[in-house]
Amino acid sequence: MSTIAAVSTPNAVGGIAVIRISGEDAISVAEKIFSPYGSKKVSEMEGYTCAYGIAHDGGERLDDCILTVFRAPHSYTGEDVVELSCHGGLYVTRKVLRAALAYGAVNAEAGEFTKRAYLNGKLDLTQAEAVMDIISAKGERELKMAESLREGTAFKLARKCSEKLLKILGDLAAWADYPEEDIPEVRPEALTEELTAVRDDLRSLVKNYDSGRILREGVATAIIGRPNVGKSTLFNCLSGCERSIVTEIAGTTRDIIEESVRVGDITLRLSDTAGIHETDDIIEGIGVDMAEKMIATSELVIAVFDGSCPLTEDDLYLINKVNNDRTIAVINKTDVENVIDVSILKDKIQHIVYLSAKESTGVDDLHSHIEEILKLNEADFDTATAANERQKKCIDNALEGIESAISSLEIGEMLDAVSILVDEAEQSLLQLTGEKVTDAVVDEVFSRFCVGK
């Protein structure tokens, strides 16, 4: 394998930048571009030791640096690794990297350091994927899930299930291939019990998947309502800035305005829509049609009503359009006298929040209802769970094979057919952990990483 190098810190000005070099020639490359203060050479340094010195390119001094050596196999990648910590200016950092490339290293590809850690057995595939989740975590619960995966919780449970399936396959093969030997008969009842236990463990891996996906990817959220109920004011309140135009004139918002905002641990991918009402304006009408489509496609709908006036025909039309399971009704303008008949709303929508978008009050209550409707308060983020679509697909495929095997046993099919289904489930689990996975899948996993990781 070639020796790779990259800047492992963000591409921005900072106090310190780190240039990471990994591979068989990492030590020799570093020795050509770094001179320690003192008599000891880089090649003489032991693992987990540091030296202060000068980074240079031939005769040109580049920067004062601290060099850290990690000797194989006791490094992140499992190879010899050298890290140069220099001042965090973009120009000087690139100069040090170019020097490393000039003396034998090659540019690392996206995610190549973690990919080498996986290929060298330092991480399983689920742990490697967790590295990117840790880097991109935006909240406490999201970080907790990523750290759990990094510690190998999903891998350990998947491996446990895999070992049980291998034992079942071994018992089936031995009983079928050596009928003359004194081998215990495989009883369908006992086999069903074993497969059911594996199925239940695998189901636990996907139980919290949707909650984890919501934390990682955010929630497509539409703010809807008739004109002038305060949709844009609420949008601006949640966004923390003036993104939508707010006036007393009905129909100000004609297009969909989008913004990602954090509400607690949740990212809402907000869309401020046109006021839903009958209109003869062609352009405004297009905006209303788009708003109605957002009701159908959004994962979360925040329906805004003006608490300072009775419900209108447009309000009633909207109430009948929304899906109660994923809708929160916001009674806005609590800073003035309210005359709205809330009983009509309660008959149709379970989650009702009172707030003043203008005064930014009641937002905490909205947050609580969002958590409840998304069922985040029911999720256990300390347990092992699938972290992405690749992992979930592997588990779903394994579950499909196991459930088919259980059904086959229940209707009395031959054990040869059951064995094939169990083997398919086993292959899916090996793909999950990366123990049997194609190069294309591995490349796809690490293509989502940034360079230097």
Side-chain angles (χ1 to χ4, degrees):
M1 271 191 181
S2 58
T3 295
I4 56 174
V7 179
S8 287
T9 41
N11 185 32
V13 175
I16 294 175
V18 175
I19 295 91
R20 179 183 287 171
I21 308 170
S22 180
E24 185 178 353
D25 299 324
I27 304 292
S28 63
V29 169
E31 194 164 58
K32 293 171 184 174
I33 66 170
F34 179 83
S35 299
Y37 292 119
S39 57
K40 184 177 284 190
K41 297 179 180 179
V42 174
S43 57
E44 296 171 345
M45 293 174 61
E46 297 179 358
Y48 298 102
T49 59
C50 301
Y52 178 54
I54 300 169
H56 52 79
D57 185 359
E60 181 186 1
R61 177 188 176 120
L62 301 178
D63 196 12
D64 289 347
C65 294
I66 294 176
L67 178 141
T68 308
V69 172
F70 304 90
R71 294 278 184 175
H74 306 296
S75 71
Y76 179 69
T77 63
E79 305 170 329
D80 284 341
V81 173
V82 174
E83 292 184 351
L84 284 158
S85 300
C86 62
H87 291 96
L90 290 174
Y91 183 69
V92 68
T93 302
R94 289 171 185 158
K95 292 271 284 186
V96 175
L97 174 61
R98 286 171 188 160
L101 299 176
Y103 286 95
V106 298
N107 273 309
E109 297 178 359
E112 191 169 0
F113 291 102
T114 304
K115 182 178 181 180
R116 291 192 178 198
Y118 160 69
L119 294 174
N120 291 326
K122 306 296 287 186
L123 301 170
D124 66 74
L125 199 54
T126 61
Q127 288 176 308
E129 288 172 307
V131 171
M132 201 63 224
D133 289 341
I134 289 173
I135 294 169
S136 59
K138 297 178 286 295
E140 184 65 29
R141 286 184 291 192
E142 190 178 349
L143 178 61
K144 186 179 290 187
M145 286 186 67
E147 287 176 337
S148 176
L149 285 165
R150 179 64 178 81
E151 290 168 4
T153 53
F155 173 81
K156 290 171 185 174
L157 185 53
R159 172 61 71 82
K160 172 187 167 186
C161 293
S162 177
E163 289 172 350
K164 287 182 178 179
L165 294 182
L166 280 174
K167 180 183 178 300
I168 291 171
L169 288 169
D171 291 344
L172 286 169
W175 187 72
D177 295 343
Y178 303 99
E180 69 282 357
E181 300 292 336
D182 188 20
I183 295 173
E185 181 181 356
V186 177
R187 294 184 299 108
E189 298 82 6
L191 189 54
T192 298
E193 187 176 335
E194 292 179 66
L195 288 172
T196 300
V198 175
R199 181 194 64 188
D200 292 345
D201 280 341
L202 290 178
R203 281 179 176 174
S204 72
L205 276 174
V206 293
K207 179 182 177 182
N208 294 326
Y209 176 74
D210 283 336
S211 297
R213 179 188 60 79
I214 286 169
L215 290 180
R216 286 190 306 275
E217 301 174 8
V219 186
T221 306
I223 299 178
I224 62 169
R226 62 176 174 82
N228 273 10
V229 293
K231 298 186 303 300
S232 295
T233 305
L234 177 60
F235 182 88
N236 291 338
C237 170
L238 295 174
S239 301
C241 62
E242 297 294 320
R243 286 282 282 111
S244 277
I245 299 171
V246 178
T247 73
E248 297 298 324
I249 304 170
T252 304
T253 303
R254 297 186 169 203
D255 204 347
I256 293 175
I257 300 171
E258 298 178 336
E259 182 76 37
S260 289
V261 303
R262 294 287 292 178
V263 178
D265 277 346
I266 310 164
T267 298
L268 300 182
R269 302 198 307 275
L270 287 179
S271 297
D272 182 16
T273 63
I276 295 177
H277 67 297
E278 290 190 11
T279 176
D280 295 327
D281 187 302
I282 295 176
I283 297 176
E284 192 179 358
I286 294 172
V288 172
D289 289 340
M290 292 172 67
E292 293 197 10
K293 288 178 182 177
M294 291 295 293
I295 296 175
T297 59
S298 296
E299 295 175 89
L300 177 68
V301 173
I302 299 176
V304 184
F305 301 90
D306 185 345
S308 67
C309 62
L311 292 169
T312 68
E313 288 297 323
D314 289 328
D315 288 325
L316 295 174
Y317 173 78
L318 180 62
I319 292 169
N320 290 317
K321 287 285 290 184
V322 299
N323 182 328
N324 176 50
D325 293 336
R326 52 188 176 83
T327 300
I328 299 173
V330 168
I331 310 300
N332 190 27
K333 305 185 183 180
T334 57
D335 51 306
V336 296
E337 182 182 358
N338 272 208
V339 297
I340 189 171
D341 185 355
V342 182
S343 63
I344 298 175
L345 276 171
K346 288 181 176 178
D347 288 339
K348 295 287 186 177
I349 302 174
Q350 177 184 352
H351 297 273
I352 298 177
V353 176
Y354 298 84
L355 61 73
S356 169
K358 181 180 178 181
E359 302 294 333
S360 297
T361 59
V363 175
D364 288 343
D365 192 26
L366 175 60
H367 175 210
S368 298
H369 280 269
I370 290 171
E371 290 231 343
E372 185 178 346
I373 207 168
L374 297 176
K375 295 182 170 58
L376 294 182
N377 49 359
E378 300 175 11
D380 183 359
F381 295 103
D382 291 319
T383 60
T385 186
N388 52 51
E389 283 294 334
R390 184 197 74 82
Q391 293 180 18
K392 185 176 184 295
K393 184 178 180 181
C394 289
I395 297 167
D396 286 343
N397 288 342
L399 279 169
E400 184 179 346
I402 291 169
E403 287 167 351
S404 296
I406 292 172
S407 298
S408 296
L409 287 166
E410 289 173 347
I411 63 176
E413 285 195 14
M414 299 289 291
L415 291 181
D416 285 349
V418 174
S419 180
I420 292 171
L421 292 168
V422 173
D423 183 65
E424 289 175 354
E426 167 66 8
Q427 296 304 311
S428 294
L429 291 183
L430 293 176
Q431 291 175 24
L432 169 67
T433 60
E435 294 168 272
K436 188 173 182 180
V437 68
T438 64
D439 290 342
V441 170
V442 172
D443 290 341
E444 170 61 23
V445 167
F446 292 102
S447 69
R448 296 191 291 269
F449 281 58
C450 46
V451 174
K453 299 299 182 284

